C-alpha cells in the first residue's frame, strides 16, 4: 500500500524520511591507524572514434599518465572498446562499484572527476544523518535520572583511587 | 514445487519482471530483451482471487522499480548489510557478478599487487608478497586440473611456494607484538585478559573482515570462490609475514598496530573477555592489592514494586566506594558493580586515554613506554 502512494510524487522527490540515509562512518576506521586510499581501480572505457568520447581520448593522451603517477595505489585501466557511451568505472575496497558517464566531458573535467573519485570511500552517497560521529560520547559518564540525586546511604567519603 | 517458488519472497519479480503472464505454458516474446517469460507447471487451481492479487503485486512492484531509479552503481557495499534487492538481476548478470574479480575484464595481477603495496604505504618485496597470496589449496587444485587435462609431469608441477610458512610467521609475530602492546598499555590487566584480547584480534572473523575490506580476496589465489574466512585469515597473516621479511620488525609492528588495534574502538573489555564470576575475580584482585573485600550496598533504587525495577549497588571497601553498577535485580546489579570495579582496576574504562598512534622514536621499547601513558 505504501508503495502505491509514492508514485504520485515522482521518482526521487520523496522526503528524506523516505529516502535511504546512513550515519557518518568510515571503512575499517580508516585514518585512525593509517590512511588507506579507498579507491582500488579505475577503468576508463571509451570508443576510439565516437565524437562524445573526445574528452576521454584527450584525457588518455595528455593527463592519464600523470594521474597514474600521482596515484600509485590506484590501478588505471584504459580500454578503447566499442562502448556506446564513454564511462569511468571506479571500484572501491569495500566492494562498491560506481560508474560515471563521461560523455562530452573535457579532459580537465574528467581529471576533476577522477580526483574526486579517488578521494571518496566506497560508502553510499546518501543523506548522512549527522555530520559527526564519536565512539566515546561520554567522558564523565552518561547522565541518567539518578545521577545527581543523593544516595539512600549516609556513608560518604572520597572515592578510592585505583592504583 | 513451482507454486511455492512462485509465491516466495521476491520470486515473482525475478521470474516475470515487467510482464504479467496469466496462463501456464504461455510463451511471451520479451520486448526489452529480457528473454521469453513463461510460467511452467502452474496449477490452474489458482483461483481468480489469487490472480487478482498477483496483478496488484506486479503493478505495485513495477511502481517500485520505476521509483527506485538508477541507483548508485550496481554493486553492494561489503561494509553494510544488504537490504531488499533494488533492481531485477538477470540470470546472466547474476552469473557475472558471482565471478571472481580476476575472471572479469580489466585485470592485471602484477599491477594490482604493486598498487596493493603502495596503498598500504609499505615497501613489500614483490616476490614475497606474491608468495603470500598463494594458498596450498590453489596449488593442489591447479595441479589436479592440469593432471586431468593430461599434460606431462613437467608442466603439471607448479613452481609455486605456498604461504603456510609466511602465515605462521605472521601469526606468531602479530600475537607476540599485540601481547607486548597490551602489557605495556594495561599493566594491571592479567594474562587471561590480555590473552582474550589477543585471541579476539587474531580471530578468524575479525581478520577475515579486515582482509575483505582491504580487498585481499581479489588477490588471493585459492580453490573456492568466494574465499572462505580461514583462507583470508591465513593470507592476511602471510602478508604480514611477507612484510616481516621485506621491511623488518619495526615497520611490521607499526602495520599490525595500525590495522588491528582500531578494531578495539567501541568495544568493552567484558564483551571480548568472557568472565563468568566477576565478583570472585574482583575479590582475588583486591586481596592481591591488600585491600579488604568489598561490601555491596544498595545506593539507589527505583520502581522496586513494579515490573521494571532499577537497583544501583555500590561496592564499598573500608567504607569507601570503589564502584557502582545498575541492574534489574539485586544480583544483576551487584555483578555489574563488580564488572565496573574490575574495569577501573584494570584501567580499561570507557573514558580512558585513546591509543597512541604517533610514530615511535626508536625501537619497540620506546613504543611501549609511549603507549602505556
Amino acid at each position: 500500500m505504501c508503495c502505491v502512494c509514492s508514485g504520485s510524487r515522482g521518482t526521487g522527490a520523496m522526503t528524506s524520511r523516505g529516502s535511504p540515509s546512513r550515519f557518518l562512518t568510515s571503512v575499517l576506521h580508516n585514518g585512525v591507524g593509517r590512511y588507506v586510499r579507498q579507491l582500488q581501480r579505475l577503468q576508463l572505457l571509451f570508443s576510439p572514434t565516437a565524437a562524445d568520447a573526445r574528452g576521454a581520448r584527450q584525457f588518455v593522451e595528455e593527463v592519464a599518465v600523470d594521474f597514474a603517477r600521482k596515484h600509485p595505489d590506484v590501478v588505471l585501466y584504459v580500454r578503447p572498446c566499442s562502448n556506446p557511451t564513454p564511462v569511468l568505472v571506479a571500484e572501491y575496497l569495500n566492494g562498491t562499484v560506481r560508474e560515471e558517464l563521461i560523455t562530452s566531458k573535457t579532459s580537465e573535467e574528467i581529471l576533476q572527476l577522477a580526483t574526486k573519485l579517488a578521494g571518496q570511500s566506497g560508502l553510499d552517497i546518501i543523506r548522512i544523518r549527522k555530520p559527526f560521529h564519536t565512539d566515546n560520547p561520554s567522558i564523565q559518564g552518561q547522565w541518567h535520572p539518578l545521577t545527581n540525586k543523593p544516595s539512600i546511604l549516609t556513608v560518604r567519603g572520597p572515592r578510592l583511587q585505583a592504583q | 514445487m513451482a507454486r511455492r517458488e512462485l509465491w516466495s519472497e521476491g520470486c515473482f519479480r525475478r521470474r516475470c519482471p515487467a510482464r504479467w503472464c496469466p496462463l501456464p505454458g504461455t510463451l511471451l516474446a520479451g520486448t526489452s530483451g529480457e528473454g521469453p517469460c513463461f510460467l511452467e507447471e502452474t496449477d490452474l487451481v489458482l483461483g481468480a482471487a489469487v490472480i487478482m492479487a498477483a496483478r496488484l503485486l506486479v503493478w505495485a512492484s513495477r511502481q517500485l522499480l520505476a521509483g527506485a531509479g538508477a541507483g548508485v552503481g550496481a554493486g553492494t557495499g561489503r561494509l553494510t548489510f544488504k537490504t531488499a534487492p533494488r533492481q531485477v538481476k538477470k540470470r546472466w548478470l547474476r552469473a557475472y557478478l558471482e565471478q571472481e574479480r580476476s575472471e572479469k575484464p580489466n585485470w592485471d595481477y602484477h599491477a594490482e599487487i604493486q598498487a596493493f603495496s603502495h596503498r598500504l604505504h609499505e615497501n613489500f618485496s614483490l616476490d614475497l608478497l606474491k608468495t603470500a597470496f598463494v594458498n596450498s589449496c590453489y596449488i593442489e587444485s591447479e595441479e589436479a586440473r592440469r593432471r586431468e587435462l593430461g599434460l606431462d609431469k613437467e608442466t603439471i608441477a607448479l613452481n609455486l611456494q605456498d604461504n603456510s610458512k609466511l602465515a605462521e610467521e605472521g601469526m606468531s609475530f602479530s600475537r607476540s607484538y599485540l601481547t607486548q602492546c597490551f602489557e605495556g598499555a594495561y599493566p594491571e590487566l592479567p594474562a587471561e585478559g590480555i590473552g582474550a584480547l589477543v585471541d579476539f584480534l587474531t580471530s578468524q572473523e575479525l581478520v577475515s573482515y579486515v582482509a575483505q575490506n582491504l580487498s585481499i580476496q581479489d588477490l588471493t589465489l585459492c580453490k573456492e570462490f568466494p574465499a572462505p574466512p580461514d583462507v583470508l585469515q591465513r593470507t592476511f597473516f602471510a602478508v604480514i609475514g611477507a612484510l616481516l621479511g621485506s621491511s623488518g620488525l619495526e615497520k611490521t609492528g607499526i602495520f599490525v598496530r595500525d590495522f588491528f588495534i582500531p578494531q578495539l574502538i567501541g568495544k568493552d573489555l567484558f564483551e571480548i573477555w568472557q568472565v563468568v564470576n566477576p565478583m570472585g575475580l574482583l575479590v582475588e584482585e583486591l586481596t592481591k592489592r591488600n585491600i579488604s573485600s568489598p561490601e555491596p550496598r544498595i545506593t539507589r533504587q527505583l520502581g522496586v514494586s513494579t515490573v521494571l525495577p532499577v537497583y544501583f549497588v555500590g561496592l564499598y571497601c573500608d567504607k569507601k566506594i570503589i564502584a557502582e553498577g545498575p541492574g534489574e535485580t539485586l544480583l544483576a546489579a551487584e555483578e555489574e558493580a563488580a564488572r565496573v570495579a574490575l574495569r577501573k582496576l584494570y584501567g580499561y574504562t570507557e573514558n580512558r586515554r585513546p591509543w597512541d598512534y604517533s610514530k615511535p622514536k626508536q625501537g619497540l621499547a620506546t613504543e611501549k613506554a609511549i603507549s602505556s601513558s
Side-chain angles (χ1 to χ4, degrees):
Chain A
M1 245 163 292
C2 47
C3 47
V4 171
C5 300
S6 71
S8 58
R9 284 195 65 192
T11 50
M14 289 189 276
T15 54
S16 58
R17 185 159 172 245
S19 55
S21 58
R22 64 175 176 95
F23 287 98
L24 185 67
T25 173
S26 58
V27 178
L28 278 193
H29 302 284
N30 197 17
V32 174
R34 64 180 66 178
Y35 175 67
V36 172
R37 190 187 296 279
Q38 295 293 310
L39 179 63
Q40 236 189 332
R41 57 189 79 92
L42 272 178
Q43 301 177 40
L44 185 56
L45 309 169
F46 59 100
S47 148
T49 43
D52 52 5
R54 188 163 68 101
R57 291 192 291 271
Q58 269 183 333
F59 175 79
V60 168
E61 282 167 21
E62 297 161 12
V63 187
V65 180
D66 280 332
F67 177 84
R69 278 212 191 96
K70 277 198 217 125
H71 300 87
D73 40 13
V74 176
V75 190
L76 179 63
Y77 293 98
V78 168
R79 165 80 70 99
C81 55
S82 53
N83 250 31
T85 48
V87 84
L88 189 59
V89 182
E91 288 175 47
Y92 291 93
L93 286 182
N94 65 345
T96 319
V97 177
R98 241 186 106 177
E99 294 178 1
E100 296 277 340
L101 293 178
I102 46 178
T103 327
S104 310
K105 280 207 158 86
T106 62
S107 166
E108 291 89 25
E109 283 172 17
I110 297 179
L111 177 64
Q112 249 182 3
L113 178 62
T115 323
K116 180 185 86 149
L117 289 173
Q120 285 178 341
S121 81
L123 299 167
D124 298 336
I125 314 279
I126 47 182
R127 179 179 70 94
I128 294 182
R129 290 195 198 185
K130 9 183 197 175
F132 38 82
H133 168 79
T134 172
D135 286 298
N136 306 300
S138 165
I139 304 291
Q140 299 181 28
Q142 175 80 39
W143 182 92
H144 52 81
L146 297 172
T147 306
N148 293 316
K149 295 260 172 354
S151 152
I152 59 180
L153 302 173
T154 50
V155 176
R156 283 186 190 278
R159 287 172 183 244
L160 189 72
Q161 299 299 318
Q163 283 302 323
Chain B
M1 182 272 297
R3 204 200 306 188
R4 204 165 0 116
E5 248 186 39
L6 198 58
W7 296 110
S8 67
E9 193 187 56
C11 173
F12 198 96
R13 236 190 284 161
R14 226 185 289 146
R15 284 181 128 240
C16 304
R19 309 281 310 241
W20 178 54
C21 320
L23 297 173
T26 324
L27 204 67
L28 290 173
T31 48
S32 50
E34 281 157 12
C37 166
F38 52 91
L39 297 176
E40 34 201 11
E41 305 163 23
T42 323
D43 292 346
L44 272 172
V45 175
L46 292 177
V50 176
I51 294 186
M52 281 301 281
R55 212 181 261 148
L56 270 175
L57 186 67
V58 172
W59 178 74
S61 74
R62 221 180 296 158
Q63 294 291 315
L64 252 188
L65 285 175
V72 176
T76 51
R78 257 198 285 290
L79 184 62
T80 54
F81 287 109
K82 242 188 184 169
T83 50
R86 287 197 213 128
Q87 289 172 6
V88 169
K89 290 220 159 76
K90 304 174 182 105
R91 223 172 290 139
W92 59 263
L93 183 60
R94 256 181 287 151
Y96 169 81
L97 288 177
E98 279 161 13
Q99 273 178 314
E100 282 189 42
R101 181 62 186 84
S102 48
E103 287 166 24
K104 295 188 196 169
N106 291 332
W107 176 259
D108 180 357
Y109 194 67
H110 185 76
E112 294 281 344
I113 295 254
Q114 281 180 321
F116 178 79
S117 159
H118 281 288
R119 195 176 299 134
L120 300 177
H121 303 285
E122 295 289 350
N123 226 349
F124 282 96
S125 119
L126 290 182
D127 298 316
L128 276 179
L129 190 55
K130 286 193 181 174
T131 319
F133 285 114
V134 176
N135 286 291
S136 49
C137 54
Y138 172 75
I139 296 183
E140 283 158 15
S141 71
E142 265 300 299
E143 288 187 352
R145 202 166 61 92
R146 290 186 182 193
R147 219 173 291 133
E148 270 170 47
L149 289 173
L151 301 170
D152 51 346
K153 284 235 166 98
E154 283 173 2
T155 346
I156 287 181
L158 280 171
N159 292 330
L160 284 179
Q161 261 192 332
D162 68 354
N163 61 5
S164 40
K165 192 161 133 323
L166 286 173
E168 268 172 43
E169 285 173 17
M171 163 96 111
S172 64
F173 173 80
S174 312
R175 290 187 71 97
S176 66
Y177 177 80
L178 286 171
T179 314
Q180 250 182 357
C181 274
F182 290 134
E183 279 168 3
Y186 307 113
E188 308 286 335
L189 197 53
E192 307 153 344
I194 295 185
L197 286 176
V198 172
D199 283 337
F200 169 72
L201 288 180
T202 52
S203 68
Q204 217 180 76
E205 233 182 84
L206 193 133
V207 177
S208 63
Y209 171 73
V210 173
Q212 277 207 311
N213 281 303
L214 290 174
S215 87
I216 281 185
Q217 81 285 354
D218 285 344
L219 295 166
T220 309
L221 298 171
C222 77
K223 187 166 67 165
E224 300 135 11
F225 173 77
D230 60 320
V231 169
L232 287 176
Q233 182 195 25
R234 206 182 324 136
T235 315
F236 193 57
F237 282 129
V239 168
I240 295 179
L243 184 59
L244 201 52
S246 327
S247 311
L249 288 172
E250 220 184 290
K251 286 226 148 187
T252 318
I254 300 178
F255 182 90
V256 169
R257 179 200 73 180
D258 283 345
F259 285 100
F260 282 96
I261 297 200
Q263 300 302 317
L264 286 177
I265 290 177
K267 292 261 182 327
D268 174 42
L269 179 64
F270 295 113
E271 270 175 47
I272 303 172
W273 178 23
Q274 305 295 334
V275 167
V276 174
N277 184 13
M279 192 48 117
L281 186 59
L282 177 65
V283 170
E284 264 179 51
E285 293 287 331
L286 291 176
T287 43
K288 262 192 249 171
R289 290 170 177 81
N290 283 329
I291 304 176
S292 58
S293 59
E295 298 176 10
R297 297 281 184 270
I298 305 177
T299 45
R300 309 162 198 284
Q301 54 188 11
L302 276 186
V304 170
S305 55
T306 66
V307 142
L308 295 174
V310 169
Y311 297 98
F312 274 77
V313 165
L315 294 176
Y316 291 82
C317 294
D318 293 328
K319 310 231 172 84
K320 293 188 191 121
I321 192 164
I322 56 168
E324 200 183 15
E328 277 209 353
T329 60
L330 282 170
L331 283 174
E334 196 184 322
E335 200 187 300
E336 187 55 39
R339 284 183 201 272
V340 172
L342 283 170
R343 279 188 210 117
K344 280 194 187 164
L345 282 176
Y346 297 148
Y348 207 99
T349 50
E350 224 183 274
N351 59 356
R352 67 186 181 277
R353 206 161 241 254
W355 196 273
D356 184 18
Y357 293 97
S358 56
K359 286 196 179 52
K361 299 288 164 28
Q362 340 97 0
L364 282 168
T366 324
E367 200 186 71
K368 257 202 288 182
I370 291 174
S371 60
S372 67
S373 61

